[in-house]
Amino acid sequence: MKDLAKLTGRFLKILLVSFLLLFLLNVALFALCMGTYAKQESPWRVAQETAEGIVRVEGTFELPADLQEKLAQQDIWAALVDDDTLQVLWKTANTPGSVPATFTAAEIAGLNVGYIDGQPTFAAGGPYGLAVIGYPRETFWKLAHPSWHYRFIQNVPVYGFCGLLLNAAAILAIYLIANKKLLSVIGPIAQSIQKLPGPDPVRAPEHGLLSGLAHSVNEAGMVLQRQRDALQKKETARANWIAGVSHDIRTPLSMVMGYACQMEENLALDADTRQKAMVIRRQGEKMRNLVSDLNLASKLEYNMQPLSRAPVNLVALVRQIVADFLNLDIDGKHPIEFSAEEGLSACMVQGDRELLQRAVGNLLQNSVTHNEQGCRIRVSVRREQECCRICVEDDGVGVSEETLETIRKIPHYMTDSSGQRHGLGLLLVQQIAGAHQGTLAIGHGRDGGFRAEIILPLARDG
């Protein structure tokens, strides 16, 4: 519902911004339109200029040549009326015949607000009398009786602002009322869509404007539910199968390993037979470890493995694991170098000691298993900000970039083109790291071998 509220708020913002943009656009258009006509000189100014420009020459009146040209270009006629007698003393050649030779006081009063023969007139006083000019028809539109109350004119800005607010409020109210029903329909659909990833069934009401969309959401919910049920059955069957195989294989495997061990230690047998018995025992140990890893990986995947969390010093733990592996490396083909960050004696995490020991041991065993001809292994522990990093790196045969990408993407046991086995051991390490809110990073070593790094968050007091 938070997303729906954000959507509604966004629509409101768009509406308000639209109001503002439309207002500014209207103001700009009004200014543009007014600017087009504002280029034309004001008729009052032309009348005043005409009144002041009339000169007396040898008992008659004339206009300067430039003023005559201006009036002629706009087809404006002009006349001079005596202030005392109201007689026309002078007029231009294009003055219409409807202009009287003598004006009455009423006619003089109507010159600035009316027309003569449909032509708008304007008047202005000058040194020789009243100058009257007339424009062609349909040039200016004049209010015959302009009259406005003073308080109304004084309050026009307030009235305009209030009217603008009322119009905006009315449009906003219409918008909200018109979309209220739509929003009431979108709400349940949005909630149903949010529930699709969850385990609960989804049922959106199929009515209103978006009934088709609600039906599609319900159909998608049923498909997902069926898929989840089928996947759950499949995963349960897989987990049960792994658990059953792990249990059933232990007894015959123990017998095989036991008899192989007896044959290996039986001095009465020839050396070749004892050597084969040793191979059988070692392969049986690998199979036992493989089954154990598979079972543990399955438990971690389904959160069936309980974690005995306690403070663990990774520096001491990794040092002990390295020492144990060195003791097992009788032929010296896999020397291990251990290093910790200078001055780092403890790196505390909250976790399961046995699982962490299993994870680091798997990485060491991974280097040993994939480098039968021998390699040098470097193990380091260092603290970085709020995490502890355990790095296991070898200078062995390594893996190709293609295989490395496959291991990163495919979370299962796999075999590459060279016959090297990868996947389950690293998957188990990744699952153990994930169970401790950590991660596993794999890549190429500095000397071309394989490199794996477990990154675990430090304990709060560590």
Side-chain angles (χ1 to χ4, degrees):
M1 291 303 292
K2 290 183 178 179
D3 294 336
L4 186 60
K6 289 181 181 179
L7 183 63
T8 304
R10 184 170 183 177
F11 284 156
L12 288 176
K13 289 178 182 177
I14 293 175
L15 184 64
L16 294 177
V17 171
S18 300
F19 285 157
L20 180 60
L21 292 178
L22 286 175
F23 175 75
L24 296 177
L25 179 62
N26 287 326
V27 170
L29 290 175
F30 180 76
L32 179 64
C33 294
M34 291 300 295
T36 303
Y37 298 103
K39 296 178 181 178
Q40 189 173 3
E41 193 173 4
S42 169
W44 308 102
R45 184 178 180 83
V46 175
Q48 188 64 47
E49 188 178 352
T50 302
E52 294 176 355
I54 295 176
V55 294
R56 184 189 293 271
V57 179
E58 296 179 357
T60 185
F61 298 94
E62 292 183 358
L63 284 175
D66 57 340
L67 191 55
Q68 289 183 30
E69 183 178 358
K70 177 190 289 190
L71 297 180
Q73 287 177 351
Q74 301 182 55
D75 197 18
I76 301 173
W77 56 265
L80 179 64
V81 180
D82 184 73
D83 288 336
D84 297 327
T85 62
L86 302 182
Q87 291 182 350
V88 176
L89 302 178
W90 167 87
K91 60 183 177 181
T92 57
N94 61 340
T95 302
S98 56
V99 176
T102 301
F103 284 88
T104 64
E107 291 173 336
I108 293 294
L111 286 176
N112 278 336
V113 295
Y115 304 80
I116 293 180
D117 195 19
Q119 299 181 344
T121 57
F122 302 89
Y128 300 107
L130 182 69
V132 180
I133 62 172
Y135 281 79
R137 295 171 180 268
E138 299 181 358
T139 306
F140 289 98
W141 179 72
K142 301 169 67 177
L143 293 174
H145 304 286
S147 175
W148 306 96
H149 197 283
Y150 180 79
R151 289 187 177 276
F152 173 78
I153 299 298
Q154 187 181 31
N155 294 326
V156 161
V158 177
Y159 295 153
F161 182 73
C162 291
L164 184 63
L165 289 181
L166 288 175
N167 282 302
I171 295 175
L172 183 61
I174 293 172
Y175 170 81
L176 292 176
I177 293 172
N179 287 278
K180 183 178 180 181
K181 187 173 182 180
L182 178 62
L183 294 175
S184 65
V185 174
I186 291 178
I189 296 178
Q191 289 180 340
S192 300
I193 293 175
Q194 289 175 341
K195 291 180 180 179
L196 283 177
D200 299 329
V202 172
R203 187 63 186 174
E206 299 181 10
H207 60 78
L209 298 174
L210 301 177
S211 58
L213 178 60
H215 178 73
S216 299
V217 171
N218 292 333
E219 289 289 330
M222 288 189 289
V223 171
L224 290 175
Q225 189 64 39
R226 287 195 295 267
Q227 291 177 345
R228 278 194 291 265
D229 293 341
L231 183 61
Q232 183 63 38
K233 291 180 181 178
K234 202 182 288 186
E235 294 297 328
T236 301
R238 183 166 74 96
N240 292 335
W241 182 84
I242 292 174
V245 169
S246 300
H247 179 270
D248 294 340
I249 205 173
R250 285 195 185 100
T251 300
L253 184 59
S254 298
M255 295 178 63
V256 170
M257 291 178 61
Y259 287 135
C261 185
Q262 291 179 10
M263 293 174 64
E264 182 183 1
E265 296 174 356
N266 189 351
L267 299 179
L269 298 176
D270 58 90
D272 185 58
T273 302
R274 290 164 56 193
Q275 179 68 25
K276 291 178 180 179
M278 183 189 68
V279 173
I280 294 173
R281 178 182 58 79
R282 289 186 176 180
Q283 294 301 319
E285 290 176 351
K286 288 185 179 180
M287 187 180 300
R288 181 186 61 190
N289 293 335
L290 176 61
V291 172
S292 178
D293 285 351
L294 184 62
N295 195 33
L296 179 58
S298 178
K299 289 182 178 180
L300 288 172
E301 183 176 358
Y302 296 103
N303 297 319
M304 297 169 59
Q305 176 67 29
L307 299 183
S308 301
R309 295 185 180 273
V312 179
N313 183 359
L314 291 182
V315 177
L317 177 66
V318 176
R319 185 184 289 114
Q320 181 61 47
I321 297 172
V322 170
D324 293 340
F325 264 81
L326 285 174
N327 293 333
L328 295 175
D329 186 25
I330 300 176
D331 52 9
K333 294 170 59 177
H334 301 90
I336 304 177
E337 298 177 3
F338 173 77
S339 64
E341 190 177 11
E342 185 177 356
L344 183 65
S345 60
C347 194
M348 304 301 297
V349 298
Q350 194 76 15
D352 189 309
R353 182 181 183 86
E354 292 186 4
L355 286 181
L356 293 174
Q357 186 173 357
R358 183 74 168 273
V360 178
N362 272 20
L363 293 182
L364 288 172
Q365 189 61 47
N366 189 67
S367 295
V368 173
T369 302
H370 297 152
N371 297 281
E372 295 181 356
Q373 301 303 318
C375 68
R376 183 175 298 276
I377 304 173
R378 299 185 184 92
V379 182
S380 63
V381 180
R382 73 178 190 275
R383 178 171 177 167
E384 183 176 295
Q385 296 179 351
E386 298 300 321
C387 65
C388 185
R389 293 176 176 265
I390 306 171
C391 180
V392 177
E393 180 181 2
D394 62 59
D395 60 357
V397 295
V399 293
S400 65
E401 186 64 34
E402 181 182 358
T403 302
L404 193 63
E405 287 300 317
T406 304
I407 296 174
R408 288 171 178 160
K409 294 177 181 178
I410 302 179
H412 57 65
Y413 188 62
M414 51 80 68
T415 303
D416 64 15
S417 56
S418 65
Q420 294 289 335
R421 294 171 299 177
H422 307 278
L424 181 58
L426 294 176
L427 172 62
L428 186 59
V429 176
Q430 185 178 25
Q431 288 178 329
I432 293 174
H436 291 81
Q437 290 76 51
T439 57
L440 171 67
I442 59 175
H444 298 291
R446 289 172 290 179
D447 300 318
F450 189 77
R451 181 177 185 274
E453 190 173 34
I454 302 174
I455 307 166
L456 299 174
L458 291 172
R460 293 186 179 179
D461 56 351

